[in-house]
Amino acid sequence: MRYITNCAATSCDKTIHDKTSPDTHQVSSRYPVRVSKYYAGLIRHEGDAIWKQCMPDMRELEDAAQCPDPLEETSLSPVPGLIHRYPDRVVLLVSNRCPVYCRFCMRKRLVGCGDAPLGEEELKRALEYIAATPSIRDVILSGGDPLMLDDASLMLILSGLRAIKHVSIIRIGTRVPVTLPERITPELCDLLKRFHPLYINTHFNHPDEITADSSRACAMLAESGIPLGNQTVLLKGINDDAEVMRTLMTGLLSIRVKPYYLHQMDLVRGTAHFRTSVEKGLEIIRALRGHVSGLAVPHYVIDLPGGKGKVAILPDDVERTGEVLLLRTYTGERVAYRDVVSI
Ligand SMILES: *Cc1c(COP(=O)(O)O)cnc(C)c1O
Ligand code: SF4
């Protein structure tokens, strides 16, 4: 008997094997394939931005050079299910299910494998570790997708965390508003708002994902007082284009979601065909900064291999001559700035 169970809403999922070729069965036996009915409905034609994110591709099997866990999450795990890399925050992997298995997922080694999300015993040990570590102020629920759990399981996890005094904020990383918006129910919102301050970071990658349904899901969460952020992954052939990104980031603001991170693709095995150069990401940030509302500009980050953590990178290459900095404006103009501190 496990306390932690998956949400019944997920039973409406349908796989779309009928649209795939026999080749892709080879891929799906290695990396699970699942596409929610809603998300499949967003596909307009084969090979579009939605299709590429969810349909298996033979190139996933050809990429054997990369490592399954380059960020060394496994070695940063003090107890099963918990990743503790930064002093004041931890990631708790509460689920290994998602409504859609994104082909570029950085946890491709874990998602969709086995049926147990986090057992009762593992949850107890993780909560004990957090309770015994007063430096932890921020707990990030991730997975898989935490909102794939049923409400009772979420209640159990969230109340366990809230019982720990030094846990100041709780964050949930979820793609459910994008891939299974019907899971955002009034009941779920009522439950979540009992655990404030609670933040949600969602994961939109393309303007086609901003629909009436995903907008409604975000509005319901925002109306429950939950600040919404977004983490986008920079994906070759999907959103590696300044115009697409401008439309996406400004579109997110209009549904009350603040762009938080733009992630350089991690060096995860099976995902090489999605990776762009870092220069592409910088070009996109350059095309955003100053040209659209500052609220629409995410931090462009690279999660360094070896568990060294995220670094934010900026397009302005700062050149210094003594106290003079040469900065580049959003129009590309170089401007000298005197870096003087007067007391
Ligand atoms: C990204 C990440 C976090 C959260 O980082 P923020 O920059 O605070 O959003 C925490 N732990 C791990 C292991 C991470 O990869
Ligand atoms: S929703 Fe997130 S965790 Fe799940 S497959 Fe997609 S990227 Fe991975």
Side-chain angles (χ1 to χ4, degrees):
M1 184 42 203
R2 252 196 307 274
Y3 271 117
I4 300 176
T5 44
N6 288 314
C7 168
T10 62
S11 62
C12 64
D13 287 355
K14 272 204 187 118
T15 51
I16 47 173
H17 281 299
D18 53 320
K19 288 192 187 170
T20 66
S21 70
D23 272 359
T24 59
H25 288 285
Q26 253 181 284
V27 181
S28 60
S29 61
R30 171 83 179 278
Y31 299 117
V33 175
R34 177 194 237 172
V35 186
S36 64
K37 195 174 166 196
Y38 163 79
Y39 199 72
L42 302 183
I43 295 173
R44 280 188 281 198
H45 56 83
E46 190 173 327
D48 72 9
I50 304 293
W51 170 282
K52 283 184 188 158
Q53 290 186 68
C54 62
M55 298 303 283
D57 186 310
M58 285 304 280
R59 288 176 292 178
E60 294 174 42
L61 299 178
E62 289 155 15
D63 174 27
Q66 308 294 345
C67 168
D69 180 19
L71 309 179
E72 295 191 13
E73 292 186 329
T74 311
S75 66
L76 292 165
S77 185
V79 294
L82 203 66
I83 308 166
H84 193 182
R85 176 190 289 160
Y86 304 106
D88 74 334
R89 52 212 192 277
V90 287
V91 174
L92 181 57
L93 303 175
V94 296
S95 158
N96 55 7
R97 295 285 175 85
C98 304
V100 172
Y101 293 124
C102 311
R103 308 322 295 166
F104 50 83
C105 180
M106 53 103 64
R107 301 220 176 90
K108 217 172 161 84
R109 70 187 192 280
L110 299 177
V111 294
C113 306
D115 65 348
L118 182 75
E120 190 190 341
E121 191 52 39
E122 283 93 9
L123 174 63
K124 193 164 153 273
R125 282 182 65 199
L127 290 172
E128 279 167 4
Y129 176 88
I130 296 167
T133 316
S135 63
I136 299 171
R137 313 180 57 255
D138 179 353
V139 177
I140 301 156
L141 302 184
S142 183
D145 203 308
L147 298 187
M148 289 296 273
L149 301 179
D150 62 15
D151 290 1
S153 304
L154 284 167
M155 183 74 191
L156 186 81
I157 295 167
L158 292 168
S159 32
L161 288 172
R162 270 288 164 252
I164 304 170
K165 288 241 159 29
H166 56 263
V167 173
S168 158
I169 69 165
I170 298 173
R171 288 194 248 180
I172 298 178
T174 174
R175 220 181 168 206
V176 152
V178 185
T179 53
L180 191 68
E182 65 263 40
R183 170 68 183 103
I184 308 299
T185 59
E187 295 72 29
L188 176 65
C189 292
D190 285 343
L191 185 159
L192 295 177
K193 71 183 182 200
R194 292 170 58 186
F195 297 97
H196 279 314
L198 183 134
Y199 289 71
I200 285 183
N201 272 329
T202 186
H203 178 172
F204 285 83
N205 288 328
H206 193 274
D208 288 357
E209 294 169 341
I210 304 178
T211 64
D213 293 303
S214 61
S215 304
R216 183 195 45 87
C218 291
M220 287 171 71
L221 294 167
E223 256 133 59
S224 308
I226 302 171
L228 299 172
N230 185 70
Q231 308 196 180
T232 292
V233 181
L234 178 56
L235 298 163
K236 190 171 169 176
I238 295 172
N239 60 16
D240 59 338
D241 176 89
E243 195 46 47
V244 169
M245 284 291 195
R246 260 201 293 265
T247 309
L248 174 63
M249 300 303 166
T250 54
L252 287 171
L253 280 188
S254 72
I255 61 165
R256 287 187 275 177
V257 177
K258 162 80 184 86
Y260 177 50
Y261 280 152
L262 173 63
H263 290 272
Q264 174 67 11
M265 273 284 309
D266 294 314
L267 301 163
V268 172
R269 184 178 297 164
T271 65
H273 55 296
F274 289 111
R275 198 164 306 111
T276 65
S277 72
V278 170
E279 189 42 51
K280 177 54 80 177
L282 291 174
E283 180 191 312
I284 285 165
I285 296 297
R286 229 177 265 132
L288 291 173
R289 175 110 50 77
H291 297 275
V292 294
S293 164
L295 285 172
V297 187
H299 299 287
Y300 178 38
V301 292
I302 302 183
D303 212 334
L304 294 174
K308 292 197 179 69
K310 294 183 187 68
V311 290
I313 46 173
L314 293 166
D316 327 276
D317 39 332
V318 178
E319 291 166 33
R320 180 187 275 274
T321 319
E323 63 179 18
V324 178
L325 300 183
L326 260 188
L327 302 179
R328 208 197 289 253
T329 71
Y330 74 93
T331 57
E333 183 192 353
R334 280 173 179 275
V335 176
Y337 169 86
R338 283 186 68 213
D339 185 25
V340 269
V341 183
S342 54
I343 307 160

Coordinates of all heavy atoms in Angstrom, one line a residue, residues 146-181:
P146 N 5.2 16.7 -10.7 CA 4.5 16.5 -9.4 C 3.0 16.6 -9.5 O 2.3 15.9 -8.7 CB 5.0 17.8 -8.6 CG 6.3 18.2 -9.2 CD 6.1 17.8 -10.7
L147 N 2.4 17.3 -10.5 CA 1.0 17.4 -10.5 C 0.3 16.2 -11.2 O -0.9 16.1 -11.4 CB 0.5 18.7 -11.2 CG 1.0 20.0 -10.5 CD1 0.4 21.2 -11.1 CD2 0.6 19.9 -9.0
M148 N 1.1 15.2 -11.5 CA 0.6 13.9 -11.9 C 0.1 13.1 -10.7 O -0.5 12.1 -10.8 CB 1.6 13.1 -12.7 CG 1.9 13.6 -14.0 SD 0.5 13.5 -15.1 CE 0.7 11.9 -15.8
L149 N 0.5 13.5 -9.5 CA 0.1 12.8 -8.3 C -1.4 13.3 -8.0 O -1.8 14.3 -8.4 CB 0.9 13.2 -7.1 CG 2.4 12.9 -7.2 CD1 3.2 13.4 -6.0 CD2 2.6 11.4 -7.4
D150 N -2.1 12.4 -7.3 CA -3.5 12.8 -6.9 C -3.4 13.8 -5.8 O -2.4 14.0 -5.2 CB -4.3 11.6 -6.6 CG -3.8 10.8 -5.4 OD1 -3.0 11.3 -4.7 OD2 -4.3 9.7 -5.2
D151 N -4.6 14.5 -5.6 CA -4.6 15.5 -4.6 C -4.2 15.1 -3.2 O -3.5 15.8 -2.5 CB -6.0 16.2 -4.5 CG -6.3 17.0 -5.8 OD1 -5.4 17.0 -6.7 OD2 -7.4 17.6 -5.9
A152 N -4.6 13.9 -2.8 CA -4.3 13.4 -1.5 C -2.8 13.2 -1.3 O -2.2 13.5 -0.2 CB -5.0 12.0 -1.2
S153 N -2.1 12.7 -2.3 CA -0.7 12.6 -2.2 C 0.0 13.9 -2.1 O 1.0 14.1 -1.4 CB -0.1 11.8 -3.5 OG -0.8 10.6 -3.6
L154 N -0.5 14.9 -2.9 CA 0.1 16.2 -2.9 C -0.1 16.8 -1.5 O 0.9 17.5 -0.9 CB -0.5 17.1 -3.9 CG 0.0 16.9 -5.4 CD1 -1.0 17.6 -6.4 CD2 1.4 17.3 -5.6
M155 N -1.2 16.6 -0.9 CA -1.6 17.1 0.4 C -0.6 16.6 1.4 O 0.0 17.3 2.3 CB -3.0 16.6 0.7 CG -3.5 17.1 2.0 SD -4.0 18.8 1.9 CE -4.2 19.1 3.6
L156 N -0.3 15.3 1.3 CA 0.6 14.6 2.2 C 2.0 15.2 2.1 O 2.7 15.5 3.2 CB 0.7 13.1 1.9 CG 1.4 12.2 2.8 CD1 0.5 11.8 4.0 CD2 1.8 10.9 2.0
I157 N 2.5 15.4 0.9 CA 3.8 15.9 0.7 C 3.9 17.4 1.2 O 4.8 17.8 1.9 CB 4.2 15.8 -0.8 CG1 4.3 14.3 -1.2 CG2 5.6 16.5 -1.0 CD1 4.4 14.1 -2.7
L158 N 2.9 18.2 0.8 CA 3.0 19.6 1.1 C 2.8 19.9 2.6 O 3.5 20.7 3.2 CB 1.9 20.4 0.3 CG 2.2 20.4 -1.2 CD1 0.9 21.0 -2.0 CD2 3.4 21.3 -1.5
S159 N 2.0 19.1 3.2 CA 1.8 19.3 4.7 C 3.1 18.8 5.4 O 3.5 19.4 6.4 CB 0.5 18.8 5.3 OG 0.1 17.6 4.6
G160 N 3.7 17.8 4.9 CA 5.0 17.3 5.5 C 6.0 18.4 5.4 O 6.8 18.7 6.4
L161 N 6.1 19.1 4.3 CA 7.1 20.2 4.1 C 6.7 21.4 5.0 O 7.6 22.0 5.7 CB 7.1 20.6 2.7 CG 7.8 19.6 1.7 CD1 7.7 20.1 0.3 CD2 9.3 19.5 2.1
R162 N 5.4 21.7 5.0 CA 5.0 22.9 5.8 C 5.2 22.7 7.3 O 5.3 23.7 8.1 CB 3.6 23.3 5.5 CG 3.5 24.3 4.3 CD 3.9 25.7 4.7 NE 4.2 26.5 3.6 CZ 5.4 26.9 3.1 NH1 6.5 26.5 3.8 NH2 5.5 27.7 2.1
A163 N 5.3 21.5 7.7 CA 5.5 21.2 9.2 C 7.0 21.5 9.6 O 7.3 21.5 10.8 CB 5.2 19.7 9.5
I164 N 7.8 21.8 8.6 CA 9.2 22.1 8.9 C 9.4 23.6 8.9 O 9.2 24.2 7.8 CB 10.2 21.4 7.8 CG1 9.9 19.9 7.8 CG2 11.6 21.7 8.1 CD1 10.6 19.2 6.6
K165 N 9.7 24.1 10.0 CA 9.7 25.6 10.2 C 10.7 26.3 9.3 O 10.3 27.4 8.8 CB 10.1 25.9 11.7 CG 9.0 25.6 12.7 CD 8.6 26.9 13.4 CE 7.2 26.7 14.0 NZ 6.8 25.4 14.5
H166 N 11.9 25.8 9.1 CA 12.8 26.6 8.3 C 12.6 26.5 6.8 O 13.2 27.2 6.0 CB 14.3 26.2 8.6 CG 14.5 24.7 8.4 ND1 14.5 23.8 9.5 CD2 14.8 23.9 7.3 CE1 14.8 22.6 9.0 NE2 15.0 22.6 7.7
V167 N 11.6 25.7 6.3 CA 11.2 25.7 4.9 C 10.4 26.9 4.6 O 9.2 27.0 5.1 CB 10.5 24.4 4.4 CG1 10.0 24.5 3.0 CG2 11.5 23.2 4.6
S168 N 11.0 27.9 4.0 CA 10.2 29.2 3.8 C 9.4 29.1 2.5 O 8.2 29.4 2.6 CB 11.3 30.3 3.7 OG 10.8 31.4 3.1
I169 N 9.9 28.7 1.4 CA 9.1 28.7 0.2 C 9.1 27.3 -0.4 O 10.1 26.5 -0.3 CB 9.5 29.7 -0.9 CG1 10.8 29.4 -1.5 CG2 9.5 31.1 -0.3 CD1 11.1 30.2 -2.8
I170 N 8.0 27.0 -1.1 CA 7.9 25.7 -1.8 C 7.6 26.1 -3.2 O 6.9 27.0 -3.6 CB 6.7 24.9 -1.2 CG1 6.9 24.5 0.2 CG2 6.4 23.6 -2.1 CD1 5.7 23.9 0.9
R171 N 8.4 25.4 -4.1 CA 8.2 25.6 -5.5 C 7.7 24.3 -6.2 O 8.2 23.2 -5.8 CB 9.5 25.9 -6.2 CG 10.0 27.3 -5.9 CD 11.1 27.6 -7.0 NE 12.4 27.7 -6.3 CZ 13.5 27.9 -7.0 NH1 13.5 28.1 -8.3 NH2 14.7 28.0 -6.4
I172 N 6.9 24.4 -7.2 CA 6.5 23.2 -8.0 C 6.9 23.4 -9.4 O 6.6 24.4 -10.0 CB 5.0 22.9 -7.9 CG1 4.6 22.6 -6.4 CG2 4.6 21.7 -8.8 CD1 3.1 22.4 -6.2
G173 N 7.7 22.5 -10.0 CA 8.1 22.5 -11.4 C 7.1 21.6 -12.1 O 7.1 20.4 -11.8
T174 N 6.3 22.2 -13.0 CA 5.3 21.3 -13.7 C 5.0 21.8 -15.1 O 4.9 22.9 -15.4 CB 4.0 21.3 -12.9 OG1 3.0 20.6 -13.6 CG2 3.4 22.7 -12.6
R175 N 4.8 20.8 -16.0 CA 4.5 21.1 -17.3 C 3.0 20.8 -17.6 O 2.5 20.9 -18.7 CB 5.3 20.2 -18.3 CG 5.7 21.0 -19.5 CD 6.5 20.4 -20.5 NE 6.5 21.3 -21.6 CZ 6.6 21.1 -22.9 NH1 6.8 19.8 -23.3 NH2 6.5 22.0 -23.8
V176 N 2.3 20.5 -16.5 CA 0.8 20.2 -16.6 C 0.0 21.3 -17.2 O -0.9 21.0 -18.0 CB 0.3 19.7 -15.2 CG1 -1.2 19.9 -15.0 CG2 0.6 18.2 -15.1
P177 N 0.2 22.6 -16.9 CA -0.6 23.6 -17.5 C -0.4 23.6 -19.1 O -1.4 24.0 -19.8 CB 0.0 24.9 -17.0 CG 0.5 24.5 -15.6 CD 1.1 23.2 -15.8
V178 N 0.7 23.1 -19.5 CA 1.0 23.1 -21.0 C 0.5 21.8 -21.6 O 0.0 21.8 -22.8 CB 2.5 23.2 -21.2 CG1 2.8 23.3 -22.7 CG2 3.1 24.4 -20.5
T179 N 0.6 20.7 -20.9 CA 0.4 19.4 -21.5 C -0.9 18.6 -21.1 O -1.3 17.7 -21.7 CB 1.6 18.4 -21.3 OG1 1.8 18.4 -19.9 CG2 2.8 18.9 -22.0
L180 N -1.4 19.1 -19.9 CA -2.7 18.4 -19.4 C -3.4 19.5 -18.6 O -3.7 19.3 -17.4 CB -2.3 17.2 -18.5 CG -3.5 16.3 -18.1 CD1 -4.0 15.5 -19.3 CD2 -3.0 15.3 -17.0
P181 N -3.9 20.6 -19.3 CA -4.4 21.7 -18.5 C -5.7 21.3 -17.7 O -6.0 22.0 -16.7 CB -4.7 22.8 -19.6 CG -4.6 22.1 -20.9 CD -3.8 20.9 -20.7

